[in-house]
Amino acid sequence: MTGNAMMGRLFLVATPIGNLGDMSVRAVETLKAADLIAAEDTRNSIKLLNHFDIHVPMTSYHEYNKFDKGKYLVEKMQEGLDVALITDAGTPGISDPGEELVKMCIEAGIEISPIPGAAACVNALIVSGFSTRRFCFEGFLPRDKKEQKIVLDRLKTETRTTVFYEAPHRLLKTLALLEKAAGGDRRVAVCRELTKKHETVNRTTLSDAISYYTENSPRGEIVLVLDGASRQALEEAAKKQWNNISVEDHMKIFLDQGMDRKEAMKRVAAERGVARRDIYNYLVGKKTDI
């Protein structure tokens, strides 16, 4: 959707996550052409702007002023100014208050343009060695216990690769939470200081990672990439849960729900990992073991 021609635009400008060489030519040109730059931390961003000889007025936009400052920025764009949003490092809107400004601009009919570049979550994912075909991004674990439980509870049966952000002083606690939630050991890649001089990718298991970082205090920004649960193992576990229940009782579960006998046999067969004919033969006495 295109905004009003008289309005300015919002540019979401990705900046390097460590190595300044990753700054794109388009990102530099966009920042130089903007009327105003909104930065998560102006003290940090001024170093970036000075490095690329960018001399554009800058204002702070962060978690603690995102609503009031967001309204101010929208008003400026409605007046015709182009605003470029940058975060401390990486792509605005990912685990930062930029997503609120995007929502405000959409409601106001302001055009939004992404200027792509580095994103720590993607870089960690592609070097982890785990599946990249299906993955999910959780960012930082919620501090609220109820929300945190919701995120952790799904990990035991989550077959997709999952990406987390974490601060070094909380790494051990988070690794322990992940191990408990996963229901056992799981492969993990601990990616630290990506694109920087001391970049490391520790491909290991949750238990070994806990042992290692207990002895070696981590430093720098961290991305955790957790391997998904084995689909085969989950299917085998689902079948095993029926070992202690008879076929007759299993059938009764579905018959009591009003399901017809044919459909109930089909469901029982699927859950026990056998053919429907095997269930039928067992029930009519032609088969003695399922």
Side-chain angles (χ1 to χ4, degrees):
M1 178 178 177
T2 302
N4 188 310
M6 299 298 293
M7 288 188 183
R9 289 180 292 173
L10 174 66
F11 293 91
L12 304 173
V13 183
T15 55
I17 59 176
N19 192 318
L20 290 177
D22 295 332
M23 186 76 165
S24 73
V25 172
R26 186 181 175 208
V28 173
E29 291 176 345
T30 300
L31 291 177
K32 286 185 175 182
D35 297 301
L36 180 64
I37 295 173
E40 189 173 9
D41 186 336
T42 56
R43 294 167 300 179
N44 179 63
S45 295
I46 192 64
K47 301 173 187 176
L48 176 77
L49 301 188
N50 287 340
H51 181 84
F52 290 102
D53 197 28
I54 299 169
H55 305 285
V56 173
M58 185 166 48
T59 187
S60 65
Y61 175 80
H62 49 70
E63 183 66 28
Y64 303 105
N65 72 355
K66 61 185 178 182
F67 296 112
D68 290 339
K69 184 55 71 74
K71 293 177 183 177
Y72 167 81
L73 294 172
V74 167
E75 289 173 0
K76 290 300 179 183
M77 285 180 274
Q78 289 173 328
E79 293 171 4
L81 272 62
D82 285 336
V83 175
L85 177 67
I86 58 176
T87 183
D88 280 349
T91 302
I94 298 179
S95 286
D96 76 21
E99 72 173 290
E100 293 298 335
L101 184 57
V102 169
K103 293 175 183 177
M104 289 181 175
C105 287
I106 291 172
E107 291 176 1
I110 295 170
E111 185 177 346
I112 306 167
S113 295
I115 310 299
C121 55
V122 174
N123 283 276
L125 175 69
I126 61 176
V127 299
S128 68
F130 305 148
S131 173
T132 60
R133 188 179 71 84
R134 297 177 67 249
F135 65 92
C136 53
F137 173 67
E138 287 291 354
F140 291 94
L141 274 179
R143 295 290 172 262
D144 180 84
K145 295 298 183 182
K146 290 183 179 179
E147 291 182 24
Q148 185 182 99
K149 187 176 186 302
I150 291 172
V151 172
L152 293 173
D153 282 351
R154 70 160 185 81
L155 290 180
K156 191 170 185 178
T157 56
E158 178 58 77
T159 58
R160 295 174 295 177
T161 303
T162 306
V163 184
F164 297 90
Y165 285 162
E166 196 48 276
H169 65 280
R170 288 194 296 263
L171 177 61
L172 278 172
K173 181 178 180 181
T174 296
L175 287 171
L177 287 171
L178 295 181
E179 184 180 38
K180 182 179 179 180
D185 218 354
R186 187 88 64 83
R187 293 192 302 165
V188 67
V190 183
C191 306
R192 189 181 66 85
E193 294 290 86
L194 289 172
T195 78
K196 299 178 183 178
K197 182 179 179 179
H198 299 292
E199 171 184 286
T200 60
V201 180
N202 186 2
R203 301 176 184 87
T204 182
T205 63
L206 287 169
S207 61
D208 285 346
I210 291 170
S211 298
Y212 179 81
Y213 292 108
T214 297
E215 298 295 328
N216 302 273
S217 298
R219 295 181 180 179
E221 298 301 317
I222 294 169
V223 185
L224 295 172
V225 187
L226 183 67
D227 195 15
S230 165
R231 188 178 297 278
Q232 181 179 354
L234 290 175
E235 290 174 351
E236 290 176 355
K239 293 173 185 176
K240 286 181 179 178
Q241 71 174 311
W242 301 111
N243 288 348
N244 296 324
I245 182 174
S246 67
V247 174
E248 290 83 357
D249 287 340
H250 200 165
M251 283 285 294
K252 189 175 185 298
I253 293 173
F254 296 114
L255 294 174
D256 287 348
Q257 295 174 8
M259 196 176 292
D260 65 53
R261 191 171 180 80
K262 183 178 180 181
E263 184 62 26
M265 282 192 289
K266 183 178 179 181
R267 289 287 298 276
V268 169
E271 291 187 350
R272 299 179 86 96
V274 299
R276 186 170 68 87
R277 171 61 60 179
D278 290 333
I279 299 298
Y280 173 80
N281 287 336
Y282 176 87
L283 292 172
V284 297
K286 293 182 180 180
K287 190 176 182 68
T288 59
D289 183 39
I290 290 290

